Amino acid sequence: MRPVFENPMRGIACKITSVVLFLGMQTFIKLAGAGIQPGQVTFYRSFFALFPIVAFLAYRGQLKTSFYTTNPVGHLKRGTLGIISMGLGFYGLLHLPLPEAIALGYAMPLIAVVFAALLLGETVRIYRWSAVFVGLIGVAIVSWPKLTLFRDGGVETEQAIGAVTVLLASVLGGLAMIQVRKLVEEEKTSTIVLYFSITASVFSLFTVPFGWDMLDLAPQLYLIAAGFCGGVAQIFLTESYRHADVSTVAPFEYSSIVLGSVLAYFVFDDIPTTSMLIGTAVIVAAGIFIIYREHQLELERSAARKASSP
């Protein structure tokens, strides 16, 4: 039987589509306005993402089975980490230029490598440790100009806080990725996606007492559009891993910085800074090296398994 991952071009197309849709989600959130509470943004993003996700699962005949879970506590942990990470990330997105928010978000997979070694006991060799170290230097290059703005007050201080919240979001997002790794051992992908959107929608309602805003029609429509984009993007992201190997499609995640910079220039008049470009190049190089190294190790493991087969 021909493996589904032998259709790499379709997988790449799905991955790029998901990148574009996630960028659309981020753009709509920024267009909605910087004064909106992160918990309120998170609710719109999570609740309205459920509509395309539920429709897709129903179309595939997987909706009923997707509600079945053997690990509700695991989903609760993943949801808690994910919702806090999402809220912090949205705060940073609303207060930072789009390209810088994207670049700092690239810290998440680097941090996940560290947590995988510490919490899952995964073997991380010197090559990956070196790449993580170099990648985090890139993160420092991007974030340091913003972090020095704390002393200036006003908009500059908001951007500094935004940089800190995106970095915190990356740390919690890395922990959420570890929880997802545990869940995929016994749960279907559709179940993980569905329960996260439900959990995030419910949890975000607890932020209502902290002061949700009465939004005008335009911000509401932007946030609803962000939710739909996020839900459809999640579907395409999942499909990309169905049709191609992870190491094949993962590098295309970094196309978001190019597309995001172009979009930010035309929509928000944001011009990338020198430190952002240099830091991003370092982060992307480190990330691609990790992906390449993992691909090489998987080839070696596959060859070893074939050699040991009778």
Side-chain angles (χ1 to χ4, degrees):
M1 181 177 178
R2 184 174 180 265
V4 293
F5 54 79
E6 287 186 3
N7 193 351
M9 293 307 298
R10 186 171 183 178
I12 291 170
C14 287
K15 176 64 176 182
I16 294 175
T17 301
S18 75
V19 168
V20 172
L21 286 167
F22 277 126
L23 276 175
M25 178 197 76
Q26 293 172 309
T27 302
F28 282 128
I29 289 173
K30 285 188 72 67
L31 287 171
I36 304 174
Q37 296 296 321
Q40 191 171 6
V41 176
T42 302
F43 172 77
Y44 276 88
R45 157 64 178 91
S46 304
F47 179 74
F48 287 98
L50 279 168
F51 289 89
I53 290 173
V54 168
F56 177 74
L57 294 177
Y59 171 77
R60 296 283 291 267
Q62 300 174 350
L63 182 58
K64 185 177 180 180
T65 56
S66 295
F67 278 101
Y68 176 76
T69 177
T70 59
N71 191 359
V73 175
H75 288 288
L76 185 63
K77 291 179 181 178
R78 187 267 192 271
T80 302
L81 292 167
I83 188 66
I84 299 174
S85 173
M86 189 184 295
L88 291 170
F90 286 158
Y91 180 90
L93 175 63
L94 291 169
H95 292 87
L96 285 174
L98 181 59
E100 294 184 17
I102 294 172
L104 291 176
Y106 289 156
M108 186 185 301
L110 299 174
I111 294 171
V113 172
V114 178
F115 286 144
L118 296 177
L119 302 179
L120 298 181
E122 292 187 3
T123 301
V124 180
R125 296 177 175 84
I126 187 63
Y127 294 103
R128 269 204 293 174
W129 280 125
S130 300
V132 168
F133 179 73
V134 171
L136 292 179
I137 290 176
V139 172
I141 293 173
V142 175
S143 59
W144 184 250
K146 296 300 180 186
L147 298 180
T148 59
L149 297 176
F150 272 112
R151 64 180 183 273
D152 296 329
V155 175
E156 290 79 7
T157 298
E158 290 183 352
Q159 290 195 3
I161 296 173
V164 172
T165 58
V166 173
L167 292 176
L168 289 174
S170 295
V171 173
L172 292 174
L175 288 171
M177 290 175 68
I178 298 303
Q179 186 60 36
V180 170
R181 289 192 192 182
K182 294 179 180 179
L183 284 172
V184 294
E185 296 176 359
E186 55 188 23
E187 299 282 84
K188 298 186 294 294
T189 300
S190 58
T191 301
I192 297 171
V193 172
L194 182 62
Y195 271 96
F196 174 67
S197 293
I198 293 173
T199 304
S201 299
V202 174
F203 279 17
S204 58
L205 290 175
F206 288 105
T207 66
V208 172
F210 295 97
W212 280 23
D213 301 308
M214 292 296 294
L215 301 179
D216 294 332
L217 179 61
Q220 288 192 59
L221 292 177
Y222 283 138
L223 292 178
I224 291 171
F228 271 91
C229 282
V232 178
Q234 191 66 51
I235 293 170
F236 275 100
L237 179 63
T238 302
E239 285 296 292
S240 72
Y241 296 122
R242 184 186 303 276
H243 297 291
D245 187 86
V246 172
S247 62
T248 300
V249 300
F252 289 90
E253 175 67 30
Y254 296 111
S255 65
S256 62
I257 193 62
V258 178
L259 298 175
S261 296
V262 173
L263 190 64
Y265 176 77
F266 286 104
V267 178
F268 303 108
D269 295 324
D270 289 337
I271 300 176
T273 62
T274 302
S275 61
M276 194 282 290
L277 293 174
I278 294 173
T280 301
V282 173
I283 298 169
V284 171
I288 290 178
F289 179 80
I290 290 175
I291 294 168
Y292 170 77
R293 182 61 182 168
E294 284 304 296
H295 180 62
Q296 293 298 111
L297 290 174
E298 182 57 34
L299 291 177
E300 293 174 8
R301 287 191 288 265
S302 296
R305 285 194 294 269
K306 289 180 180 179
S308 62
S309 299

